[in-house]
Amino acid sequence: MAEGGSGSDSSVGSVVCVENGVEGSGVGEHWRGCSMEEIHNGLNEFELEHVPAVRPSETHTVLYHCPIREPDSVPPRPLRAHHKWDATHVRLPCSSKSQYPVTAADGSSTIEARWEMIEKALLQPINNSKELQAAILSYNTKYENQWNFRALHKLLEDDLDESEARVFFEDLLPRIIRLALRLPELVQAPIPLLKQGQCHSVTLSQQQISCLLANAFLCTFPRRNTMKKRSEYSTFPDINFNRLFQSGGGAVIEKIKCICHYFRRVCPTERDSSNVPTGVVTFTRRSLAAGELPNWAEIQAPLGATPLHITSAGTIEDQGLGLLQVDFANKYLGGGVLGGGCVQEEIRFVICPELLISKLFTECLRPTEALLMVGAERFSDYNGYAGTFEWAGNHDDCIPRDSSRRRQTHIVAIDALHFMQSQHQYREDLIKRELNKAYVGFQHTLSTPAPGVASGNWGCGAFGGDPRLKALLQIMVCTVTQRPLVYFTFGDAKLRDEVHRMHTFLLEHNVCVKDLWNLLTSYQSQNMTPNELYNFIYGCISNTLKHSPKTKTMSPKCKNIRNLLTCWLKPQQANAREMPVSSSAARRSNLNQDIFASSESEVEADSVPSEDSIVAVDPSTSPSASKTIAANAQSIAATEQTKSSQLHDSVEMARNGKKLLAGKLESEQTELQMKKSNVSPSTEKPTGSRQRSLLEMLDQCYTTNAGPETKRICLNKTGNLKSTTPTKQQ
Ligand code: APR
């Protein structure tokens, strides 16, 4: 059934998308939640505006004459200006400042203008792969013993048959060379580097990009080949193709095919330049200061307000038309695209090769930075993924252009954290880092409704993240930025249903961003395995709401809370209190203190691995079945426990450090008190400026309903239980 849809009724400020009465769960339906029509607000995919038109300004460098005066069939006229050979602009190979040492046969050494060396080498006849390698090395003599072009040789000499190889050397390569050598004519205005901390845009014509990419293919860019830590461009991605030409693996050959196909499409021939693309592409670096980021612990926006379409079919680039499409990036943009890599970002960069030029001028991204790329055209189709990736022929991109002549394809590069051990991802500061990263990518200043986001398992492949967590984080960010979310689970129907069910649950219980923040940042201290996150959330929300005073009367007294706590916490955690703790157990009990802490106990911030030191998780270290069974038992126990109110206190105390759904519980409790004292809710003053902890509210509830005092569980510094009797709550 086509993903159309009718009818959606909104309730409690949240959008409940219903498809003919059933949420897209018809037989054969791959999607749940809102229909794509609802995601697009009933408009066509390209009706909502993403970004303003291109206009040269202090923060927007345009490399052609703007506004464009040429007819649609003619590329925009390149801006004429003087080169800049400095640390804030791209050092172009055709600059007169680009010089290179040449050693003559007699051993004497001279300094030559490198562009002349490049022209001389490339204008020689080049009839095979070895001669191409020799030509490229002749102006990169420093690397003649390091670079080997085995992938290029394999493609041109083994994979292509004789006629195809002849076409490459007699037709395509000369076109690439001719285009590359037009650099002094096509790119005169200096290209600013998009450096860290900058908010700046660069817009180039597709023609200029193709000329720059032809130079990258021929490895002409100076100073971009050394990987020394201290070198000038060590914080920039690589741009010359030499690494691609020498990488191994079948996917590398297929990536080179995509790039050669791109050049076949855009390089003019001697007699015909009608194939030159005439559009433009904008690259915008976003960099937010700490003060511009949300305080996730205080946002009241209900998660249900975010329309969610989640599907196990399709891909971001094919089904995310008109939406803000997420590039699951590396902080060095493009990741392994000019090497052996071939997953989401690398694939996007080779089927839309204009994205590759971002590597020329974009410094690696900091935690609160993102890169928006608008207008890149798609030239290739593909099949497979990673090791099975293969070029699958031409792609005619029919996406309409905007008023600035950009294809209406908006891609935002955001790099997730790379986790060595999956449990790190539940640490509060790393959850915050991922929320802020996605926020930088999804935020906007639009006064019109913002287009939706097309995303998926961001950070959950090569970077080892938990898609169930990342899905919730992206829902939180879409809630704050008021963007619908289309989530592609990439074939995982189970994940689709779990996320959809959780989203529906959060919607039905009117859970807001800060509540979910509290839950997620409490989870880590439970030391549960990653696949229990949702059980934990269900358990907490059900417990808390089930026992809001309105619905349950508290039992008069918590009996033996310590035993009750023990069966709530994992046995080894409970025992940890009695035995001398090892360093890791100490850390664990510290984390538990985070949960049990009363106001006076300061939990030592765990030594958080720095961004760079976190490396990919090993998928084989998935939680053992026994731990999962134990964890599930624990969450069932938690649910059972809350059936008897004596235990309720233990569960809530387990979270005393976090205000879980405090607002909701507090308002219901207040309502209850008022009913008793015949005060209408609206006139109730908030009790005190500080939001009381859940425990305090429960204490008040106990003392109000049942009289006896409850024991407040606190852990002292060494993790031992100590009990204090709370002061009477008024
Ligand atoms: N559309 C939707 N989902 C996709 C697509 C797609 N086209 N391609 C892949 N996915 C899903 C898959 O489930 C994949 O496992 O996204 C998951 C994450 O993809 P990765 O590329 O592994 O992203 P990530 O884990 O963030 O790793 C980023 O990989 O691509 C490189 O340069 C990138 O170094 C960076 C790292």
Side-chain angles (χ1 to χ4, degrees), residues 358-433:
S358 63
K359 294 163 69 68
L360 177 64
F361 44 74
T362 309
E363 192 171 17
C364 67
L365 299 175
R366 298 303 301 149
T368 58
E369 295 189 314
L371 186 79
L372 180 64
M373 303 177 277
V374 182
E377 184 162 338
R378 179 172 173 178
F379 291 86
S380 288
D381 283 331
Y382 74 95
N383 292 322
Y385 184 74
T388 62
F389 172 82
E390 59 178 14
W391 179 64
N394 181 54
H395 180 96
D396 284 321
D397 192 335
C398 306
I399 289 178
R401 294 183 189 278
D402 64 14
S403 60
S404 303
R405 243 196 242 185
R406 296 173 296 196
R407 292 280 180 202
Q408 294 189 56
T409 297
H410 301 79
I411 299 169
V412 64
I414 49 173
D415 54 301
L417 281 174
H418 194 168
F419 290 106
M420 179 162 33
Q421 289 144 30
S422 59
Q423 68 270 24
H424 285 157
Q425 67 192 303
Y426 304 101
R427 291 181 188 281
E428 180 168 330
D429 47 357
L430 299 188
I431 286 176
K432 186 186 289 186
R433 186 273 181 196

